[in-house]
């Protein structure tokens, strides 16, 4: 196995304590890598800027991203998953490690289908040894899933028949969570009102909601960690 002399990593998380803990873990890593160069970002805007700069100069080898990030100011991305998809377009060879507190079967399944990350780790599984193993496997033998993810995968009911939410569905849910009424969504999305209504019906099916209004969508979305 060829050893990399330098590994360039971007860690994106809006929780300062998580950034600090991971920073200390990186400092104490005893690995085969000569140098691990760490950049940090605590919001989508600064992460986008760093990714754009990296694409022009030295691309990141790995981006570690939290799923539950606030929407960026320009509306380019609405969460960590969107940010990861943006990074994969800008940096085709980058390896994405998702670091999340969410451990819902549906959310994990949706993430694997839409993003297919090189690594997926639940935050409660993380320690210095786990992070080293994850980085090594992601670089040389992806994918790598932490123990909680592996347990979920072993017990996960097949969901191929269930509609998965796409980026537009997630935007609809996000705007609803901000109090935007359905009739006003046409001002935020390039969709007709009838198309939005069809989308909302699909969202309800995807979330397993048989009956209910917007509050039911938001309650279920929060339960699943989508918002």
């Amino acid at each position: 196995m060829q050893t990399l002399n330098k590994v360039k990593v971007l860690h994106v998380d809006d929780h300062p304590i998580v950034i600090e803990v991971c920073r200390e873990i990186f400092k104490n890593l005893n690995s085969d890598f000569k140098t691990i160069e760490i950049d940090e970002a605590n919001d989508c805007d600064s992460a986008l800027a760093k990714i754009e700069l990296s694409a022009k100069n030295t691309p990141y080898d790995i981006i570690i991203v939290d799923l539950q990030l606030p929407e960026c100011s320009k509306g380019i991305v609405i969460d960590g998953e969107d940010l990861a998809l943006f990074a994969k377009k800008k940096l085709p060879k980058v390896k994405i490690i998702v670091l999340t507190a969410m451990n819902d079967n549906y959310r994990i399944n949706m993430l694997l289908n839409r993003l297919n990350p090189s690594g997926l780790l639940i935050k409660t599984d993380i320690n210095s040894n786990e992070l080293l193993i994850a980085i090594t496997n992601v670089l040389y033998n992806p994918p790598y899933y932490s123990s909680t993810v592996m347990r979920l995968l072993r017990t996960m009911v097949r969901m191929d028949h269930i509609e998965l939410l796409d980026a537009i569905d997630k935007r609809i849910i996000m705007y609803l969570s901000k109090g935007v009424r359905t009739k006003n969504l046409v001002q935020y999305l390039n969709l007709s009102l009838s198309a939005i209504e069809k989308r909302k019906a699909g969202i309800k099916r995807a979330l397993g909601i048989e009956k209910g209004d917007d509050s039911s969508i938001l309650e279920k979305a929060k339960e699943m960690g989508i918002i």
Side-chain angles (χ1 to χ4, degrees):
M1 179 177 69
Q2 182 181 4
T3 301
L4 298 179
N5 287 330
K6 178 184 284 188
V7 178
K8 189 173 173 65
V9 179
L10 173 63
H11 181 202
V12 189
D13 200 302
D14 63 331
H15 295 92
I17 190 169
V18 176
I19 289 282
E20 180 63 31
V21 167
C22 284
R23 183 186 301 149
E24 291 304 311
I25 289 175
F26 280 123
K27 284 181 182 178
N28 295 302
L29 282 182
N30 293 315
S31 72
D32 293 331
F33 311 123
K34 186 175 181 180
T35 304
I36 299 181
E37 181 181 326
I38 307 296
D39 278 347
E40 298 168 349
N42 56 16
D43 56 51
C44 283
D45 288 302
S46 56
L48 285 170
K50 289 177 181 290
I51 291 168
E52 293 275 14
L53 184 62
S54 172
K56 296 176 182 178
N57 298 304
T58 305
Y60 292 112
D61 298 295
I62 294 175
I63 294 180
I64 302 173
V65 61
D66 181 21
L67 286 184
Q68 293 180 298
L69 294 172
E71 180 186 14
C72 75
S73 60
K74 296 180 181 179
I76 299 172
V77 300
I78 62 173
D79 58 15
E81 186 177 337
D82 257 11
L83 180 66
L85 290 169
F86 174 86
K88 290 179 79 170
K89 290 179 181 178
K90 284 289 181 179
L91 306 170
K93 295 183 179 180
V94 75
K95 303 294 190 352
I96 301 294
I97 296 179
V98 172
L99 185 59
T100 180
M102 296 185 293
N103 58 5
D104 175 83
N105 274 5
Y106 176 86
R107 190 71 177 97
I108 295 297
N109 188 76
M110 188 169 69
L111 178 68
L112 292 175
N113 276 274
R114 288 199 65 227
L115 181 57
N116 188 28
S118 298
L120 179 54
L121 293 81
I122 306 301
K123 288 184 178 181
T124 52
D125 293 337
I126 297 303
N127 54 45
S128 57
N129 187 56
E130 181 79 10
L131 197 54
L132 170 59
I133 293 171
I135 290 175
T136 304
N137 278 271
V138 162
L139 284 171
Y140 299 116
N141 189 33
Y144 179 81
Y145 306 137
S146 68
S147 58
T148 299
V149 177
M150 292 301 295
R151 176 176 55 80
L152 289 171
L153 290 175
R154 285 194 296 269
T155 60
M156 188 177 290
V157 176
R158 287 190 62 82
M159 303 172 72
D160 297 341
H161 63 290
I162 297 179
E163 295 180 50
L164 298 178
L165 304 180
D166 63 16
I168 296 175
D169 296 329
K170 289 171 62 181
R171 287 184 182 275
I172 289 173
I173 294 173
M174 181 198 68
Y175 288 127
L176 291 176
S177 72
K178 292 183 176 182
V180 179
R181 301 180 67 180
T182 298
K183 66 180 182 180
N184 295 326
L185 285 174
V186 293
Q187 300 173 25
Y188 300 86
L189 302 165
N190 188 27
L191 294 172
S192 66
L193 185 57
S194 62
I196 291 171
E197 292 287 4
K198 289 179 180 177
R199 283 270 180 176
K200 284 180 62 179
I203 290 169
K204 288 182 179 180
R205 288 194 299 272
L207 298 182
I209 301 171
E210 294 184 5
K211 295 181 180 180
D213 54 12
D214 291 351
S215 62
S216 299
I217 292 176
L218 297 178
E219 182 179 350
K220 193 66 175 180
K222 287 178 182 178
E223 178 185 325
M224 291 181 165
I226 297 169
I227 55 174

